[in-house]
Amino acid sequence: MHREHKCCPSAERRHRGVPPARDCHPLHPGRGRATRFGTGLAHLSARITIKKYCKAKPYVKLNNSLFYREYMSVQSGSSITSISVSALESHVRELAEEIGERHVWLPQSLATARDYIVGQWQAEGHTVETQAYEALDVLCANLSIDLPGTRWPRQVVLVGAHYDTVRQSPGADDNASGVAALLELGRCLSNWRPGRNIRLVAFVNEEAPFFFWEKMGSAIYARAAKRRGEDIRAMFSLEMLGCYRDESGSQQYPPFLGRGRPDRGNFIAFVANLRSRPLLKRALAAFKECTDFPVEGTATFGWLPGVNWSDHLNFWREGYPALMVTDTAFFRYPYYHAPQDTPEKLDYRRMATVVEGLAGMLIKLADDESL
């Protein structure tokens, strides 16, 4: 996530309004609990299956979203695995400890991070597409994989996270946490057959000096998507997902947005501009059906501090509906853009619960006829 930073003299020009976006609507599979989960022996069988599954897998404690996933797996013939706490931490440590700073002034580290993401996806059988371009004479690349849609293959639900960092920060929360979530979503949903295409994208060059300008990785990507006429129905930017704090007063807000909201930083936030409000409402509804994890949503002016400070900005500019999923960065996290942004600072268990909720949300939106 980008904020005004001393290494970027043009920061004061960045926080401007953005163009309109489109709307969409979420799937609501639970139109009566009996029809959602079945009855009698089928319901009992599902409970037994889930109990065995939870005992067998060393993953996060699952809530009622697992019932939904098991039910959908039986109905569709697809399979969905759970989110691994240890895998999330392993990805963050690889990116932030083993590789460290990742930017164009350390091109080998940036390339190593790129190769790590490609290797993880290829190991799971995904075909990785590379969108290469030069920035400051360094070869850079956006990376993407598709989970092909079965009903509306030309329509796309896109999830992205940037894998670069600012200078002098290993970038554990910003944004190895987002990349780790992206990789776990790819693993979790690898055997799923969604109604419309789910695309996962690792963006390069979100941070200074590229933020807001044409060489930003997501700007390159969004412009190309628009030229191709891609039908992106929703875009989600995963921007810092690892910090959660329970102490009173640990959460701050941009101007005008804090009234009536929690003062504890123990929730995940969905942030949209005004024209993406319909997507925000539907994404929140889908997320809440999949998890009890606290979530706060806001649709507001794009020029407010923090609201457009990630890759969703460039999709707004191209007219696509988009929002940011975030732990709110420096409004909560004291090590934002600092050398102390290291892996041990993150709460991987709560992060895993958030990512599991996002997986369920994506399934619902990808299968929703009215999106």
Side-chain angles (χ1 to χ4, degrees):
M1 184 179 198
H2 184 83
R3 184 191 184 190
E4 293 186 7
H5 195 270
K6 61 184 179 181
C7 72
C8 185
S10 299
E12 70 276 7
R13 299 177 59 187
R14 293 176 177 165
H15 314 303
R16 303 174 180 171
V18 292
R22 304 169 49 187
D23 73 350
C24 45
H25 184 70
L27 180 67
H28 189 335
R31 300 183 184 275
R33 295 187 181 277
T35 59
R36 183 176 179 181
F37 297 120
T39 56
L41 184 61
H43 195 179
L44 177 61
S45 175
R47 285 183 175 272
I48 292 171
T49 301
I50 291 165
K51 186 175 182 181
K52 288 181 179 178
Y53 184 96
C54 291
K55 284 184 177 181
K57 300 288 185 180
Y59 296 144
V60 354
K61 183 178 179 181
L62 300 173
N63 55 31
N64 59 3
S65 66
L66 181 56
F67 287 95
Y68 174 73
R69 293 206 314 273
E70 289 287 347
Y71 172 74
M72 293 299 288
S73 296
V74 170
Q75 297 300 307
S76 68
S78 301
S79 61
I80 301 170
T81 60
S82 187
I83 299 300
S84 167
V85 177
S86 60
L88 288 172
E89 182 171 4
S90 177
H91 292 317
V92 171
R93 290 192 177 277
E94 180 66 28
L95 291 165
E97 278 186 346
E98 299 302 318
I99 300 174
E101 294 180 48
R102 309 173 292 282
H103 46 68
V104 291
W105 292 280
L106 293 174
Q108 185 56 54
S109 294
L110 191 64
T112 302
R114 175 200 65 206
D115 294 344
Y116 177 75
I117 296 167
V118 170
Q120 292 294 310
W121 277 340
Q122 288 180 338
E124 292 159 6
H126 297 295
T127 299
V128 182
E129 291 195 11
T130 300
Q131 183 187 45
Y133 70 99
E134 283 195 2
L136 297 183
D137 297 323
V138 175
L139 185 63
C140 303
N142 295 317
L143 314 166
S144 65
I145 61 171
D146 280 1
L147 309 177
T150 57
R151 297 182 64 188
W152 311 284
R154 294 181 62 84
Q155 299 176 10
V156 179
V157 175
L158 189 149
V159 186
H162 72 89
Y163 64 92
D164 61 314
T165 70
V166 296
R167 290 183 175 186
Q168 300 180 347
S169 176
D173 199 22
D174 188 9
N175 190 36
S177 64
V179 176
L182 198 70
L183 293 174
E184 271 297 274
L185 287 171
R187 184 188 64 80
C188 170
L189 300 176
S190 60
N191 294 320
W192 182 255
R193 297 297 173 260
R196 55 178 54 84
N197 202 37
I198 295 178
R199 181 172 301 160
L200 306 182
V201 186
F203 295 116
V204 72
N205 295 342
E206 187 266 2
E207 299 286 6
F210 303 107
F211 183 80
F212 204 83
W213 308 115
E214 60 181 11
K215 290 294 187 177
M216 194 175 172
S218 57
I220 298 284
Y221 191 94
R223 287 197 301 269
K226 191 67 172 182
R227 286 196 299 269
R228 292 191 299 266
E230 291 217 34
D231 188 4
I232 299 175
R233 296 298 177 100
M235 186 274 177
F236 299 91
S237 177
L238 307 183
E239 181 62 67
M240 303 181 65
L241 303 180
C243 177
Y244 302 95
R245 301 174 63 185
D246 294 313
E247 61 270 27
S248 179
S250 57
Q251 182 67 51
Q252 305 298 317
Y253 294 91
F256 316 115
L257 296 185
R259 185 174 181 180
R261 296 189 182 274
D263 72 340
R264 301 173 190 270
N266 60 359
F267 59 87
I268 193 69
F270 286 18
V271 182
N273 65 348
L274 294 173
R275 296 299 296 272
S276 296
R277 179 179 288 170
L279 172 61
L280 173 68
K281 290 181 177 179
R282 290 156 176 80
L284 283 171
F287 184 82
K288 289 176 180 178
E289 284 188 29
C290 298
T291 181
D292 296 327
F293 194 88
V295 59
E296 292 286 323
T298 189
T300 187
F301 300 105
W303 47 262
L304 284 176
V307 171
N308 67 2
W309 292 356
S310 190
D311 293 300
H312 57 299
L313 165 65
N314 292 302
F315 289 82
W316 288 348
R317 286 172 164 171
E318 300 302 329
Y320 293 119
L323 61 85
M324 174 172 57
V325 181
T326 180
D327 64 17
T328 75
F330 57 90
F331 292 108
R332 174 190 306 175
Y333 188 55
Y335 309 109
Y336 172 78
H337 280 189
Q340 295 80 22
D341 182 11
T342 48
E344 74 280 359
K345 305 291 196 316
L346 306 191
D347 186 331
Y348 297 99
R349 183 161 295 278
R350 284 197 268 195
M351 180 177 161
T353 305
V354 168
V355 178
E356 181 172 285
L358 293 174
M361 177 196 75
L362 291 173
I363 290 169
K364 294 187 179 196
L365 294 178
D367 289 348
D368 179 7
E369 293 184 357
S370 60
L371 181 66

